[in-house]
């Protein structure tokens, strides 16, 4: 990660938040990455752009990539953060005049899965090039850190997500007799809608979820944005009641859900999530110290309501959990 000193005491400093991707593809077994040309800046760099108010980093990365390149991408593992200084604000961007600015850009590896490649937003050219050519073409040396990470590790990974249902009406205030029918409350409904573009960023094509209403409503806004290619399996054993009655069934459920290589999302409840995560970890190695630290924290603290965790898993003969991301309801992501 690139780091910069903070502004001197008493000097205003603004943070500019942006997100982007390193789109990649394979042509004739050769890896190629995509660089974009911005005529206004006269530079070659990775597609990226500023976050909209309230937008999640990962959702912004996919949106900006599509707006700049016309390509639909599916996020893979996160890449190193880029932090660099910008000229003092002139006031035209809405910031405080004269404020020191620090730009923070979060990147992901991104597999191209669709789009027509039509250029429409501030970009006049794109180039698919080999990594060695990208090293020579990229304008900024700081962009090479993301490229080195991409090429030094498995490019293709599988996303396995776990989402805890969003905030629901409390049991004390719920009038019904069947707790499985307890709905989301208004903040929970809002979080469910916020999750839709985030889930879309990882392109989950298979969902295995508790059928309880609060779980179903959490993923329903995402399902409304997808086509019929998304497979949904309503699994009673992932409900609180089903897991309590038959906890031993969880192992076979995880085996079945992880069969194949498509991105898969689990939806469940607080009491089920630690055992679920333990089953997933038991099937994969965890080579990185930071990845293990995040997984241990999850095993200790559990997910917040409405939180999404994404595990990025290698696709080799002995797949490993290579990175973990936490996307919390407040919009703060932790990798």
């Amino acid at each position: 990660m690139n780091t910069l000193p903070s502004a001197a005491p008493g000097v205003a400093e603004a943070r500019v938040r942006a997100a982007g991707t390193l789109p990649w593809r394979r042509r004739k077994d050769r890896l190629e990455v995509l660089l974009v040309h911005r005529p206004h800046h006269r530079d070659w760099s990775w597609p990226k752009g500023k976050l909209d108010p309230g937008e999640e980093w990962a959702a912004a990365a996919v949106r900006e990539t599509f707006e700049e390149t016309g390509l639909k991408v599916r996020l893979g593992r996160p890449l190193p953060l880029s932090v660099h200084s910008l000229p003092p604000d002139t006031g035209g961007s809405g910031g405080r005049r004269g404020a020191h600015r620090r730009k923070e850009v979060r990147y992901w590896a991104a597999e191209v899965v669709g789009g027509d490649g039509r250029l429409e937003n501030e970009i006049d050219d794109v180039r698919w090039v080999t990594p060695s050519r990208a090293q020579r073409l990229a304008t900024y040396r700081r962009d090479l850190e993301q490229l080195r990470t991409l090429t030094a590790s498995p490019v293709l990974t599988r996303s396995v997500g776990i989402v805890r249902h969003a905030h629901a009406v409390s049991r004390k205030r719920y009038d019904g007799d069947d707790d499985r029918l307890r709905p989301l409350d208004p903040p929970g409904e809002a979080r469910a809608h916020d999750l839709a573009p985030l889930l879309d960023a990882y392109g989950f094509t298979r969902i295995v979820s508790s059928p309880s209403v609060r779980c179903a409503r959490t993923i329903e806004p995402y399902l409304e944005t997808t086509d019929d290619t998304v497979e949904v399996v309503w699994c009673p054993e992932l409900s609180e009641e089903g897991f309590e009655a038959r906890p031993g069934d969880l192992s076979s459920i995880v085996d079945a859900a992880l069969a194949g290589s498509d991105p898969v999302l689990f939806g469940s409840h607080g009491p089920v999530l630690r055992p679920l995560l333990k089953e997933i970890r038991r099937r994969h190695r965890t080579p990185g110290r930071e990845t293990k630290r995040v997984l241990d924290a999850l095993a200790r603290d559990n997910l917040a309501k409405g939180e999404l965790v994404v595990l990025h898993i290698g696709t080799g003969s002995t797949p490993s959990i290579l990175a973990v991301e936490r996307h919390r309801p407040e919009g703060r992501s932790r990798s």
Side-chain angles (χ1 to χ4, degrees), residues 16-20 48-51 57 60 103-107:
V16 178
R17 304 190 308 161
K48 61 184 177 296
K50 296 177 184 177
L51 274 64
W57 297 86
K103 188 171 185 178
E104 178 179 321
V105 189
R106 300 190 183 187
Y107 287 103

Side-chain angles (χ1 to χ4, degrees), residues 251-322:
S251 179
S252 60
I253 291 168
V254 172
D255 280 340
L258 295 181
S261 59
D262 292 335
V264 61
L265 174 71
F266 292 94
S268 193
H269 311 255
V272 188
L273 297 177
R274 286 192 184 96
L276 175 62
L277 182 62
K278 183 177 180 180
E279 286 291 336
I280 296 173
R281 291 186 70 176
R282 188 169 64 83
R283 290 160 173 78
H284 303 93
R285 295 171 54 248
T286 309
R289 180 180 302 177
E290 178 62 16
T291 299
K292 185 178 184 300
R293 183 193 67 77
V294 177
L295 290 172
D296 289 345
L298 283 167
R300 181 177 62 252
D301 303 330
N302 214 343
L303 280 68
K305 291 180 179 178
E307 180 176 356
L308 169 69
V309 169
V310 182
L311 312 179
H312 297 278
I313 299 175
T315 58
S317 57
T318 55
S320 301
I321 301 175
L322 302 174

Side-chain angles (χ1 to χ4, degrees), residues 60-78:
V62 171
R63 175 185 57 77
E64 284 288 345
T65 300
F66 180 76
E67 289 179 359
E68 291 192 349
T69 69
L71 297 174
K72 168 69 174 174
V73 297
R74 179 169 61 200
L75 297 186
R77 64 181 301 180

Side-chain angles (χ1 to χ4, degrees), residues 4-315:
L4 291 171
S6 300
V11 176
E13 183 178 49
R15 183 175 67 144
V16 178
R17 304 190 308 161
T21 66
L22 268 68
W24 64 270
R25 70 182 185 186
R26 290 196 180 276
R27 299 196 69 178
K28 298 180 179 179
D29 295 327
R30 185 177 70 172
L31 176 65
E32 294 181 337
V33 294
L34 182 78
L35 285 159
V36 300
H37 185 259
R38 301 183 299 175
H40 179 69
H41 295 277
R42 293 186 294 180
D43 61 11
W44 288 96
S45 59
W46 313 121
K48 61 184 177 296
K50 296 177 184 177
L51 274 64
D52 288 337
E55 189 176 27
E56 294 268 5
W57 297 86
V62 171
R63 175 185 57 77
E64 284 288 345
T65 300
F66 180 76
E67 289 179 359
E68 291 192 349
T69 69
L71 297 174
K72 168 69 174 174
V73 297
R74 179 169 61 200
L75 297 186
R77 64 181 301 180
L79 299 173
L81 175 74
S82 174
V83 181
H84 59 278
S85 60
L86 294 173
D89 202 320
T90 61
S93 62
R96 179 178 174 183
R97 181 180 294 273
H100 290 260
R101 295 187 298 163
R102 185 178 69 166
K103 188 171 185 178
E104 178 179 321
V105 189
R106 300 190 183 187
Y107 287 103
W108 282 260
E111 181 181 8
V112 176
V113 294
D116 57 15
R118 182 179 302 170
L119 306 182
E120 296 182 357
N121 186 34
E122 300 179 358
I123 303 299
D124 66 350
D125 195 9
V126 301
R127 290 187 189 175
W128 283 103
V129 295
T130 63
S132 60
R133 173 62 177 148
Q135 289 181 0
R136 299 189 295 272
L137 183 61
T139 301
Y140 308 108
R141 296 299 92 188
R142 61 177 177 263
D143 285 347
L144 300 185
E145 185 176 2
Q146 292 79 36
L147 181 63
R148 284 192 292 266
T149 300
L150 179 76
T151 56
S153 57
V155 177
L156 178 62
T157 57
R158 180 190 194 186
S159 297
V160 175
I162 303 172
V163 64
R164 184 177 181 180
H165 68 77
H167 204 277
V169 172
S170 69
R171 287 184 169 91
K172 290 182 179 180
R173 294 188 177 184
Y174 178 55
D175 295 331
D177 297 326
D178 189 344
D179 191 63
R180 293 171 296 182
L181 302 180
R182 184 159 53 94
L184 298 180
D185 61 11
E189 291 284 355
R191 175 57 179 168
H193 283 278
D194 289 343
L195 276 170
L198 187 56
L199 297 175
D200 182 65
Y202 297 98
F204 294 110
T205 56
R206 191 176 195 206
I207 299 176
V208 182
S209 173
S210 160
S212 296
V213 167
R214 55 194 184 276
C215 285
R217 280 294 302 155
T218 297
I219 61 174
E220 186 174 304
Y222 169 59
L223 294 175
E224 290 174 350
T225 68
T226 63
D227 52 31
D228 294 336
T229 60
V230 176
E231 176 191 5
V232 183
V233 178
W234 300 111
C235 185
E237 293 83 359
L238 290 182
S239 68
E240 287 192 50
E241 300 80 5
F243 176 73
E244 183 178 2
R246 302 182 64 176
D249 289 351
L250 189 60
S251 179
S252 60
I253 291 168
V254 172
D255 280 340
L258 295 181
S261 59
D262 292 335
V264 61
L265 174 71
F266 292 94
S268 193
H269 311 255
V272 188
L273 297 177
R274 286 192 184 96
L276 175 62
L277 182 62
K278 183 177 180 180
E279 286 291 336
I280 296 173
R281 291 186 70 176
R282 188 169 64 83
R283 290 160 173 78
H284 303 93
R285 295 171 54 248
T286 309
R289 180 180 302 177
E290 178 62 16
T291 299
K292 185 178 184 300
R293 183 193 67 77
V294 177
L295 290 172
D296 289 345
L298 283 167
R300 181 177 62 252
D301 303 330
N302 214 343
L303 280 68
K305 291 180 179 178
E307 180 176 356
L308 169 69
V309 169
V310 182
L311 312 179
H312 297 278
I313 299 175
T315 58

